[in-house]
Amino acid sequence: MSNTDKKSVTIENLEAAFAGESMANRKYLYFARQCRALGAVDVAEVFEATAEQETAHAFGHLELLYPSKELTVDRMLELAVEGETYEYTEMYPKFRHLALEEGRMDAVKEMDEQIEESREHAEMFAAVLEKAAKRFAALAKVEERHAGHYQDALDKVRSNAAAAE
């Protein structure tokens, strides 16, 4: 790895903070669901309110990692494809292997399901990206045709003006 490939400590910390806040959100929503099932609605509401705050924290970290002014629809789809592909090609297969070594067949089953879902998500995002690219290419052709018509009209006006002089 070259020095240019190395992430800054701040970026690594922002990614870790984002992961922590995101996990807290999901965990608190799960706890809220369990509290509701146990009849503790008031406690569930505390967990839900806190989960919402955790989401705001996570979004703040994301704004620093992926500044909104730099994001395009294409780039977000590319990032989604990259993330889902990493999950089904590297992360979950590694987790599955380790769970298998520990004899945790329940976790192996969970990892197998996640591998398949991540693959489906990556394919879905890639299909949306491809569809968007085709749509933008078609729009570009329409705009090019409109620009050509305007140019023809402008040329005609200038030609008529020159002939009148």
Side-chain angles (χ1 to χ4, degrees):
M1 175 182 285
S2 72
N3 284 340
T4 57
D5 293 338
K6 187 175 179 181
K7 289 183 183 175
S8 78
V9 171
T10 300
I11 293 297
E12 290 177 350
N13 288 342
L14 285 168
E15 290 175 341
F18 168 70
E21 299 291 352
S22 298
M23 285 189 288
N25 168 277
R26 299 285 88 189
K27 181 169 52 179
Y28 294 159
L29 289 177
Y30 175 74
F31 288 170
R33 180 189 299 170
Q34 298 308 314
C35 286
R36 285 186 187 281
L38 296 171
V41 174
D42 56 333
V43 177
E45 290 172 351
V46 170
F47 277 123
E48 290 164 348
T50 306
E52 193 170 312
Q53 292 172 354
E54 301 293 359
T55 296
H57 299 162
F59 281 11
H61 300 322
L62 281 175
E63 181 60 32
L64 294 171
L65 291 168
Y66 304 104
S68 56
K69 65 183 176 193
E70 296 175 12
L71 287 176
T72 64
V73 172
D74 286 2
R75 184 63 186 137
M76 289 185 281
L77 287 168
E78 290 168 354
L79 290 168
V81 170
E82 288 173 17
E84 296 292 339
T85 301
Y86 166 75
E87 288 178 3
Y88 81 80
T89 62
E90 294 180 43
M91 185 181 80
Y92 284 123
K94 178 182 175 184
F95 293 170
R96 183 191 188 281
H97 174 75
L98 296 173
L100 189 61
E101 284 185 350
E102 290 184 346
R104 290 289 312 265
M105 298 313 291
D106 56 340
V108 169
K109 182 177 181 286
E110 172 70 12
M111 298 307 161
D112 284 342
E113 291 172 7
Q114 294 306 313
I115 288 168
E116 189 53 36
E117 285 186 27
S118 294
R119 181 188 329 270
E120 290 172 9
H121 292 165
E123 290 170 358
M124 176 194 63
F125 286 128
V128 171
L129 182 60
E130 184 178 328
K131 186 177 180 180
K134 287 180 181 176
R135 184 177 304 140
F136 288 126
L139 287 173
K141 287 181 181 177
V142 169
E143 295 303 325
E144 183 180 5
R145 192 171 56 239
H146 290 171
H149 290 157
Y150 290 131
Q151 186 63 51
D152 290 345
L154 179 61
D155 291 345
K156 188 174 181 179
V157 167
R158 287 181 177 160
S159 176
N160 289 342
E165 291 179 353

